Amino acid sequence: MFGIETLGGNLQAAVLIGLVLAEAVILYVGYGVLESALARRVTELIRGL
Amino acid sequence: MEFFGVAVELLAMFTGFGLLIGILFGFFGMGGSFLVTPALLVMGYETNVAVGSGLAFVFGTSVIATLKHRDLGQVDYKLGVLMIAGTTAGIEVGKIGLEYLQHIGLADSVVSVAYVGLLGAIGAFVTYNAVADRDGGLVGEEDVDGDEEMPAIAQKIQSYRLPPMISLRGGVTVSLWMILVVAFATGLLSGFLGVGGGFIRMPALFYLVGVPVPVAVGTDLFEIVFSGGIGSFLYAQSGAVDLSIVVPLLAGSALGARLGAGATSLVEEDDIKIYFGVMLLLGAIAVAVRQVGGYLEMPVLDTVSLVIILGAALLVSGAVVLSSVRELRRTGPESSSSAAD
C-alpha cells in the first residue's frame, strides 16, 4: 500500500511508522475541527432528547 | 469495489471495528492489541502480521488518545517518563524469566495460567473495590482534594517519604523510588507475560501511586505511545505491518478514542472502574477458553474466545456511550460542555 514495499528494512519501517504517526495527527486535527464545529450542537441535541 | 487495492467492505469493517476499540482505548487506556491481534488471527492473518499490525494500530491510537487526554489536562509527563524508565528495566528482567521458562519447557503453561490469573484477579479486585466504593466506601479510604478517594495502598506508599519527593497531577506527592518500584514491578509482569501492560499499569497508577483515574489513563496512554512505536518499528523492519489493516482501523478508532476520552469526564469514576473490571474478567475468560482450546486441540474454542472478546468490547463500549448520554441528559440543557460529542 502507498508503494513503500519497494523500500527496504529500516527505511521502510521508519516510513511506515511515520505514515501511521502522520495519519494519527491528521485524524486528531480533522476530528478536532469536526468536534469544535458540531460538538455543542450534538451535545445539546442529546440533552434535549 | 476497491480503494488502494483493498476491498471497500473490508475497509468499512475495519473502520467499524476501530471505532469500537477506540472508545475502549480512549476510555480505559488499554484494549488495543488485546482486541485487534486475536481478531486478525481468527481472520486468517499470519501471526507476525497480526501482532505487528496490532502494535502499529496501538501506536497510532495511543498518539490520538494521548493528545486528547493532554487537552483535558490528564497526562502527567513527569510520571510518564519515570514509568517508562522503570517499566523498561522491569521488562528486560521479565524477559529473562520468560527465557528461562522457555529453556525448561514450561513457558506456555506458566505464562497462560499467570496471564489468566492476573487478568482475572485485577478484574475481580477493581470490580469489587468499585462496587464497595459505590455502596458506601471502603475501610481505610478517605477523601482527598474534596471528592477524590485514594486507595489505602496508595496512601501507604505515599507515607514513605524517601527523598526526592515528586509532585504529581491531582495533588499527589510520592517518593521517586516508590514510582520506580511500581514501574519496575509492572514492567516485570509485562515482560514476563509478553503483553503491552496497559491493563496492569492503569490500575497500578491509581491503586499504588494514587493518581486520579483520568490521569492514570492519560499517563498510561503516553507510555503506550513509546512502547507501541518501538514495537511496531521492530515488526515493520520485517514487513509485518499491513497498512491496509492499520489505516482503516485507525480512522475508526480516532473518532472512538475522542469519544472515549471525552466520556472519562462525564462518567462517574466508580463506573469507569466497574466497566474496566468487567472487561478484564471477560478477557480472562476469553483467554482461558482459548488456552483450553489449544490444550484440547479444538480450534472452535478460538472462535468462542473471539466472540467473548468482541462481545465484551461491544458491551462495555456500549455501556460507556450510554452512561455518557445519560449523564449529559441528567445535567440538563442549561449546562454546556464540549468534552463529549
Side-chain angles (χ1 to χ4, degrees):
Chain A
M1 204 178 186
F2 303 121
I4 61 166
E5 294 80 5
T6 50
L7 304 171
N10 287 344
L11 183 60
Q12 185 188 0
V15 171
L16 209 140
I17 299 307
L19 278 174
V20 174
L21 183 64
E23 188 196 356
V25 173
I26 290 167
L27 287 170
Y28 179 73
V29 173
Y31 283 135
V33 171
L34 207 63
E35 182 180 305
S36 54
L38 298 175
R40 186 173 290 272
R41 206 173 304 169
V42 173
T43 307
E44 292 308 321
L45 192 70
I46 292 169
R47 284 200 170 109
L49 279 176
Chain B
M1 191 178 160
E2 291 192 344
F3 189 72
F4 278 106
V6 185
V8 169
E9 293 82 5
L10 194 67
L11 291 174
M13 189 200 71
F14 278 136
T15 308
F17 188 39
L19 179 72
L20 195 74
I21 299 165
I23 292 174
L24 298 173
F25 203 77
F27 194 72
F28 298 122
M30 62 147 276
S33 53
F34 175 62
L35 292 164
V36 173
T37 307
L40 293 177
L41 285 171
V42 171
M43 286 172 74
Y45 286 95
E46 295 284 330
T47 306
N48 62 335
V49 174
V51 176
S53 303
L55 277 169
F57 162 70
V58 166
F59 166 64
T61 308
S62 60
V63 168
I64 294 165
T66 304
L67 288 169
K68 180 65 186 166
H69 278 272
R70 186 204 58 159
D71 289 351
L72 297 170
Q74 295 169 348
V75 181
D76 191 312
Y77 296 102
K78 198 166 29 177
L79 178 62
V81 170
L82 288 172
M83 287 296 290
I84 289 170
T87 307
T88 308
I91 287 173
E92 287 304 317
V93 178
K95 269 164 61 185
I96 294 170
L98 184 63
E99 280 161 12
Y100 172 73
L101 285 176
Q102 277 171 336
H103 180 68
I104 59 173
L106 286 174
D108 274 358
S109 46
V110 172
V111 168
S112 299
V113 171
Y115 189 53
V116 172
L118 191 70
L119 211 57
I122 296 176
F125 175 76
V126 171
T127 310
Y128 170 77
N129 270 276
V131 170
D133 249 8
R134 208 159 62 166
D135 293 345
L138 288 170
V139 176
E141 293 193 354
E142 58 190 41
D143 282 354
V144 176
D145 290 336
D147 57 350
E148 197 68 57
E149 287 174 355
M150 189 178 293
I153 317 167
Q155 289 181 41
K156 182 76 181 163
I157 285 179
Q158 286 176 25
S159 71
Y160 298 113
R161 317 291 295 176
L162 193 64
M165 299 299 289
I166 307 281
S167 297
L168 305 171
R169 275 187 191 273
V172 178
T173 306
V174 197
S175 164
L176 165 78
W177 305 108
M178 289 298 139
I179 295 172
L180 290 177
V181 165
V182 170
F184 181 83
T186 56
L188 194 69
L189 285 171
S190 186
F192 182 70
L193 298 174
V195 294
F199 78 93
I200 305 169
R201 261 194 318 270
M202 198 285 264
L205 285 170
F206 171 69
Y207 285 104
L208 302 179
V209 177
V211 293
V213 169
V215 178
V217 173
T219 307
D220 180 31
L221 282 164
F222 172 69
E223 193 173 347
I224 295 172
V225 169
F226 292 90
S227 56
I230 293 166
S232 47
F233 180 81
L234 293 175
Y235 275 89
Q237 281 178 318
S238 56
V241 174
D242 187 340
L243 279 182
S244 67
I245 300 169
V246 181
V247 169
L249 270 178
L250 202 51
S253 78
L255 181 61
R258 199 164 266 278
L259 293 171
T264 56
S265 305
L266 291 170
V267 180
E268 288 288 319
E269 189 159 306
D270 286 337
D271 288 342
I272 297 181
K273 285 186 256 174
I274 291 173
Y275 296 148
F276 184 74
V278 168
M279 180 87 193
L280 292 186
L281 282 173
L282 289 170
I285 293 168
V287 175
V289 167
R290 197 167 61 206
Q291 293 302 332
V292 170
Y295 182 72
L296 299 175
E297 293 178 2
M298 290 173 67
V300 69
L301 290 183
D302 279 354
T303 312
V304 173
S305 163
L306 182 71
V307 168
I308 295 173
I309 291 178
L310 293 182
L314 196 61
L315 188 79
V316 177
S317 57
V320 167
V321 172
L322 274 178
S323 293
S324 304
V325 169
R326 202 178 300 131
E327 186 58 28
L328 276 175
R329 288 174 55 76
R330 195 183 62 79
T331 54
E334 69 281 359
S335 315
S336 66
S337 163
S338 61
D341 45 338

